[in-house]
Structures are given as structure tokens and as C-alpha cells.
Amino acid sequence: LIMAASPLAKKKYNLHNVMRARNLPSKKEAPDLMLVDPHMNLYIKRSMQVLDIFRKYAADEDIHMYSIDEGMIDMTTSWKLFGNDPYNVAHKIQKDIHDTLGLYTTCGIGENPLLAKLAMDNEAMVAFWHYIDVPDTIWRIPKLEDVWGINTRTANHLRRIGINNVYQLAHTDPAILKKEFGIIGEQLFAESWGVD
């Protein structure tokens, strides 16, 4: 089982996290792709070191660790302290992490945490997703499972009721979604519009 794929490997070979090793491209198709054994203690150590770098840019109350390898920083009012625009600040943080730890990172910037997470998950390196761009970003995500919060089971249920992509989800009567999924149906509808 592949637990984590590097951002560059994801882009170059269309890989994703949590996939089977048997589904990797062959050595002939991907001669530079490396499969390495996990080192959980090192992973935890690097996670803590990345968190320490985040603390150079934000107070603890503005840092929200989502998992061992994902975190969000609310820089709504503070990014101006570190650069001319949010992209500049994101690149600065990425460079700090790379120069200090040798790690490549991706960064999603958004007008809310959902947009930031979707930008990070669906684009390479740095992306900024705005509400106004929802038709050109969220609605064009190719697979339902590529939306944060939609697992395979939910995606299959959506497909059974005729919803095969995020655009269709966004244009489904919310009452139908609530009937099928309960409160989660309302959340799915809101997410398809970029609202968290």
C-alpha cells in the first residue's frame, strides 16, 4: 500500500496517496520512480519540524494540523507581514521547508479551508482557488473521490443515483441529496459550491 506519494510523482505519473503498489507504473514506464519503505519515527520527526517552521509564520492558534502530513495556516490577516501576495508567502514557506528539511511540499490557498484543501489536493505545488472560480476548479475535478470528504462508498452511492461528477452534484436538488444522505447530503452540496 502506498501511503504517500511525492507531489512531483503524483503529477508526472498520475499517482495518488493510498494506492496499491501493484498499480504503480513499471520500471520501464517510470525509471526514476522510487518506492521506499516507511520510517514512521522519521515521518513524525519531520512532521514536528514542519510544524516548527509553520510557527515562524503564524501563532499556534492559527495553525490547524489536519493529519501528520497536512496542516492549514490561517493567514487571512497576517500574510502581508511576510510578502507581497499570498503566492509569494506560500513560496517562501515552501522554500523554508525545502531549504531546512529537503522536503517538497504542495500548498493550497483559498478563501476558506475547503477551497485551500481542494486546491492543494488537485493542483501541483501552489494553487489559489477563489469562490468565483468554482465552475473552473471544483466543478472540473474529474473524479468524485478527488473531493475532500467524498470517499469511495459515497461516490458509488452518488453514481447509483445518477451523479457522476462534481458539476452534476452542484446542480442536484439539495432535497434529493438530503433524502439520500441526510445532513451529509447538505454538506456534499455545499462543498460542490466551495462552501465549508
Side-chain angles (χ1 to χ4, degrees), residues 49-64 72-83 85-100 105 107:
Q49 290 171 322
V50 169
L51 180 58
D52 286 339
I53 292 170
F54 285 175
R55 288 185 175 120
K56 292 165 56 176
Y57 299 90
D60 280 339
E61 59 267 18
D62 292 327
I63 300 170
H64 311 282
M72 295 185 186
I73 307 172
D74 183 351
M75 297 187 75
T76 305
T77 58
S78 62
W79 66 263
K80 294 175 184 146
L81 298 171
F82 302 99
D85 61 61
Y87 281 107
N88 176 266
V89 176
H91 284 293
K92 187 177 284 190
I93 295 171
Q94 284 180 312
K95 185 174 181 341
D96 196 349
I97 292 168
H98 181 264
D99 291 352
T100 304
T105 57
C107 179

Side-chain angles (χ1 to χ4, degrees), residues 115 123 128-131 133-141:
L115 288 172
E123 300 236 14
F128 196 157
W129 284 15
H130 304 268
Y131 288 118
D133 298 322
V134 164
D136 296 320
T137 54
I138 297 176
W139 294 355
R140 293 193 182 183
I141 295 173

